[in-house]
Amino acid sequence: MIPNKNQSQSGAKAIVECMKRESVSHVFCVPGESYLPVLDAIHDEESIALISARHEGGASFMAEGYAKASGKPGVVMATRGVGGSNLTIGVHTAYQDSTPMVVFLGQVHRDFRGREGFQEIDLDQYFSHIAKWTVEIQDAKRVPELVQRAFRIAQTGRPGPVVLSLPEDMLLEKAEMTFAKPVQKPAPRPSVKEIEAIESLLHEAERPLIIAGGGVQRSRAELSLWGFAKTYEIPVMAAFRRHDVFPNDDEHYVGHLGLGAHPNLLKTVEKADTILAFGTRLSEVTTQGYSIIKYDHKLIHVDIDYESIGKVFAPDVGVVADLKESLQALSKINVTTRWSEWRKERRRAYEDATAIDKGSFNQNVMATMQELLPQDAILTNDAGNFAGWMHAFYQFRKRNTYVGPTSGAMGYGMPAALGAKLARPERTVISLSGDGGFMMTMQELETAVRCNIPIISLVFNNQMYGTIRMHQEIHYPYKTIGTDLGSVQFSKVAIGMGARGFYVRTIEEFEEALTEAVNGGVAAVIEIESDPEQISVSSTIQQVRDKHR
Ligand SMILES: Cc1ncc(C[n+]2csc(CCOP(=O)(O)OP(=O)(O)O)c2C)c(N)n1
Ligand SMILES: [Mg+2]
């Protein structure tokens, strides 16, 4: 254990000491004069690297991706109202995605607060709706208490973002600092009575189905989940953008509940009679607009967060507990498994829905990635229809191989890949984006080049905000507005920023580019010319128009 220090030091030094105690290895930021003392304290701290980004939105996505890939809180810093407003998208994503994040924001001098000083906003108020907790540190001697509390709140219960506002003069103020021990996450076990209640529901179940979410990943319970599913022969579905919670090539895996989920997968939920919701908040997307879980389903809901249970769906048994502890307790229950036929039937339905059609270019791109990438490669992505092919056809086979925004934030993929690569330098990390989303944060490619972070970015270029165009054609056919985009040569812009750039039109060119990029050891962009007419996994623009005429 790190010994407690009882010494006089500045607020800024104490903040960095707290980061060190929480084993933070990287801090992401855009610098600002309001928090120079913190930057200087990081300069003097060998164990922490500072990654300076090109936009606070990019920095916040990097921190979010770092947190998802490392299991540690992501730390991001920015300056006052200007930097704070720029990074809100990452805070919102961390909130929706239950990702631990600690945000430090420089604030004006304490004497100037409330006068609308230069770039002043009430940062703690401003973030209070999208953060789990916010605080302004008024007194340097309370830095250890409040910063350590911030790290605790970010990581415990349902994880999420916390925001600290740091008045400039407080950072230089010296005080006697007393540090507490680093955060230990509580892991409550379900009671004997709760386990018995689950056991008795399973006795009656004829078609049980597990829906597994991020809570399983946060407690590193993927192996326990796999053991549980295997022992009792229960099929498993992944909640929205929690693909890697269960090996997709395992015979117990039956699909991902995402946007535009295949009818076969929806049928699996419809046919199930008992749903075991493990570590998921049963979000709008996972439940397809809160529609697929019905009153006559028996619902067993286990989650670390008291508020997630019964938020929308009242469970038959609701348990507030750590997922690993819960699955370990559940592995000892006494039920005879008789669900093997049901499990096999739903696996076949999943396999039918995801069989690769070699005539589809984008499906071939996924098949090529599956073949050429190491099994432990980490994939990240933006929001957009290009991602539909990955969601449907790429199989995540190892745990901790997917980093994606359940918030649906465009611009997330590439900066999140930077964060993930810093957290897992030994892995291949590859982001997938559309031309719309990539352009929102593409300036961070320079950060990747400058900081030697060799990530690979695929950009599916169809010269449009394709997803929105699809919705337009559904509701207002032939009336395109606001969704066309101009031509950008992403591979050339990449080269201009010092990365490698590839432009591909055929599957052979893609294979060649991906092989080179994986072995290249430098940041690379592979721009994929995409057919604008193929608007989604299942439809062309004409088919959408005809269907909704
Ligand atoms: C930050 C943000 N702004 C707007 C949206 C709404 N939106 C969702 S998908 C999309 C278009 C995505 O375009 P692109 O990245 O080119 O991917 P495509 O759909 O063409 O494959 C938009 C504008 C969003 N999800 N996130
Ligand atoms: Mg596009």
Side-chain angles (χ1 to χ4, degrees), residues 246-499:
F246 200 85
N248 298 183
D249 55 344
D250 185 275
E251 58 189 8
H252 296 82
Y253 181 76
V254 295
H256 163 243
L257 288 167
L259 295 160
H262 191 281
N264 284 9
L265 309 188
L266 302 182
K267 197 86 195 158
T268 299
V269 187
E270 194 188 308
K271 286 182 95 174
D273 64 353
T274 304
I275 290 175
L276 299 101
F278 287 159
T280 162
R281 64 186 170 90
L282 296 173
S283 70
E284 177 189 337
V285 179
T286 297
T287 62
Q288 315 287 308
Y290 306 108
S291 71
I292 52 172
I293 298 183
K294 303 277 199 284
Y295 188 77
D296 20 329
H297 277 122
K298 291 271 184 268
L299 178 62
I300 297 163
H301 198 171
V302 184
D303 198 83
I304 190 73
D305 177 37
Y306 179 72
E307 287 191 18
S308 295
I309 308 261
K311 192 174 191 174
V312 182
F313 303 99
D316 293 86
V317 183
V319 179
V320 179
D322 173 75
L323 260 300
K324 193 174 202 169
E325 293 291 337
S326 303
L327 285 159
Q328 278 169 4
L330 283 170
S331 70
K332 299 188 189 102
I333 57 174
N334 190 11
V335 287
T336 334
T337 71
R338 53 197 183 285
W339 304 304
S340 151
E341 277 316 308
W342 154 247
R343 198 262 310 150
K344 284 183 191 152
E345 173 201 318
R346 296 332 295 168
R347 175 70 190 178
R348 276 193 301 272
Y350 160 76
E351 285 173 355
D352 288 348
T354 55
I356 299 272
D357 167 6
K358 287 282 181 186
S360 153
F361 178 70
N362 280 2
Q363 290 190 35
N364 267 328
V365 168
M366 294 306 130
T368 304
M369 283 168 56
Q370 197 85 61
E371 198 187 309
L372 295 183
L373 292 175
Q375 282 208 0
D376 67 353
I378 297 177
L379 269 65
T380 74
N381 67 278
D382 266 55
N385 271 10
F386 70 88
W389 283 271
M390 181 204 72
H391 289 310
F393 300 107
Y394 186 86
Q395 282 198 332
F396 294 84
R397 296 177 179 174
K398 299 258 185 251
R399 64 181 217 88
N400 197 213
T401 51
Y402 177 68
V403 168
T406 74
S407 70
M410 287 168 75
Y412 176 88
M414 191 259 284
L418 261 71
K421 181 73 184 171
L422 289 167
R424 305 258 171 214
E426 73 290 1
R427 306 266 203 99
T428 298
V429 182
I430 178 161
S431 69
L432 283 73
S433 310
D435 53 321
F438 193 70
M439 195 86 177
M440 285 192 176
T441 48
M442 100 165 270
Q443 69 282 353
E444 303 309 344
L445 201 54
E446 189 281 321
T447 309
V449 171
R450 176 171 30 94
C451 300
N452 293 317
I453 310 169
I455 47 138
I456 303 166
S457 294
L458 308 188
V459 183
F460 293 82
N461 193 353
N462 59 0
Q463 290 194 38
M464 64 164 105
Y465 288 129
T467 313
I468 310 307
R469 173 74 186 275
M470 176 188 74
H471 290 293
Q472 252 166 15
E473 295 287 355
I474 293 173
H475 299 284
Y476 307 99
Y478 296 99
K479 293 179 71 186
T480 309
I481 178 168
T483 50
D484 282 339
L485 292 172
S487 156
V488 176
Q489 294 181 298
F490 290 96
S491 47
K492 292 201 173 147
V493 181
I495 293 167
M497 287 189 183

Side-chain angles (χ1 to χ4, degrees), residues 7-83:
Q7 60 181 49
S8 179
Q9 58 183 205
S10 70
K13 285 253 184 226
I15 288 169
V16 175
E17 175 67 29
C18 291
M19 292 178 185
K20 190 176 161 192
R21 283 167 184 255
E22 295 298 335
S23 312
V24 170
S25 61
H26 291 82
V27 171
F28 303 90
C29 79
V30 171
E33 69 278 25
S34 64
Y35 67 94
L36 282 178
V38 184
L39 290 171
D40 187 63
I42 292 178
H43 177 273
D44 296 344
E45 177 49 61
E46 272 182 8
S47 66
I48 301 176
L50 184 87
I51 305 293
S52 190
R54 288 294 185 136
H55 186 283
E56 291 83 353
S60 65
F61 283 149
M62 289 174 203
E64 218 273 353
Y66 168 91
K68 278 200 181 107
S70 68
K72 294 193 285 190
V75 177
V76 57
M77 302 191 302
T79 190
R80 303 187 187 175
V82 283

